[in-house]
Amino acid sequence: MESNLAYQYEYPEELINGEAVAMSPSPAHNHIWVANNLNFIFGNYLRGKKCRVYPDGFDVHLSKKDIFKPDMMVVCDRDKIKPNGIYGAPDLVVEVLSRSTAHRDKGYKKDTYAKSGVREYWLVDPGNESIEVYLNADGVFTLDNIYFNHYPEWELERLSEAERAAIPTHFRCSLFGDLEIALADVFDGLLPSS
């Protein structure tokens, strides 16, 4: 017996430069897992503090034509927090890259976050197990550092013992000097890429 019911699922949308853009359907396991790891790290650290961490799905209203849904954000000005979203620039925004959205995360959205006053912006790539950290300087993001969780064996063999020892395994968010983040914790639990 066939059903006459039609199921329609609407993908969440972002408003990007005045255009409604559907977000990617069902992000991959590693995308979700990295975002969850970051939410856990920041959630534990911020417990009982002024700043709040928000996972994917909560709107950021930057202007009438730009309403984004970052994968994670930290907001310290509680006046920006409303029941239906954040109104104004978060302090930290994290976008976990996926093939279908990377061009927006690295382009228009990155520039818009910077102009809006986001203080720190991370682009996290689960495939490369890397984190690009950008800091805001007068409305423009400048690359502060790129952190890698793994290096290929051939690359490590070319480095001296001192150079290998200098490879960072931890880093700090510029907003919280006492929060040391282990790269292994960010990328823990990933499935092998196929």
Side-chain angles (χ1 to χ4, degrees), residues 15-183:
L15 192 61
I16 299 176
N17 198 20
E19 180 182 339
V21 177
M23 297 180 69
S24 297
S26 302
H29 172 275
N30 288 351
H31 183 282
I32 293 169
W33 203 255
V34 165
N36 283 343
N37 287 345
L38 287 166
N39 277 301
F40 180 78
I41 291 165
F42 277 92
N44 280 336
Y45 173 77
L46 293 173
R47 185 170 287 124
K49 295 183 170 82
K50 174 184 161 188
C51 301
R52 296 277 173 98
V53 63
Y54 288 90
D56 182 18
F58 205 51
D59 289 343
V60 177
H61 299 257
L62 298 173
S63 71
K64 289 184 179 182
K65 64 179 190 166
D66 292 306
I67 303 171
F68 302 157
K69 294 180 190 296
D71 291 306
M72 194 206 82
M73 63 182 147
V74 172
V75 179
C76 296
D77 180 352
R78 294 218 179 161
D79 290 337
K80 295 178 180 179
I81 302 168
K82 307 296 180 205
N84 65 333
I86 305 301
Y87 285 78
D91 295 273
L92 169 68
V93 169
V94 176
E95 293 287 4
V96 180
L97 297 177
S98 51
R99 289 181 183 158
S100 61
T101 61
H103 67 285
R104 287 193 298 264
D105 294 337
K106 291 182 172 191
Y108 184 81
K109 288 173 72 175
K110 178 178 159 226
D111 294 342
T112 303
Y113 282 132
K115 290 173 190 168
S116 299
V118 171
R119 294 168 52 194
E120 188 166 340
Y121 184 61
W122 296 4
L123 290 170
V124 182
D125 186 344
N128 292 330
E129 294 191 34
S130 66
I131 301 173
E132 295 179 26
V133 175
Y134 294 88
L135 302 178
N136 199 326
D138 299 319
V140 176
F141 282 130
T142 58
L143 180 64
D144 180 61
N145 211 333
I146 302 175
Y147 300 96
F148 294 93
N149 190 39
H150 290 292
Y151 287 80
E153 196 60 41
W154 64 267
E155 192 171 346
L156 291 173
E157 289 172 358
R158 295 173 36 183
L159 300 176
S160 70
E161 191 174 318
E163 289 170 323
R164 284 193 302 272
I167 293 173
T169 59
H170 294 72
F171 69 103
R172 296 183 191 276
C173 175
S174 72
L175 305 174
F176 311 109
D178 61 339
L179 172 60
E180 187 173 78
I181 300 168
L183 290 162

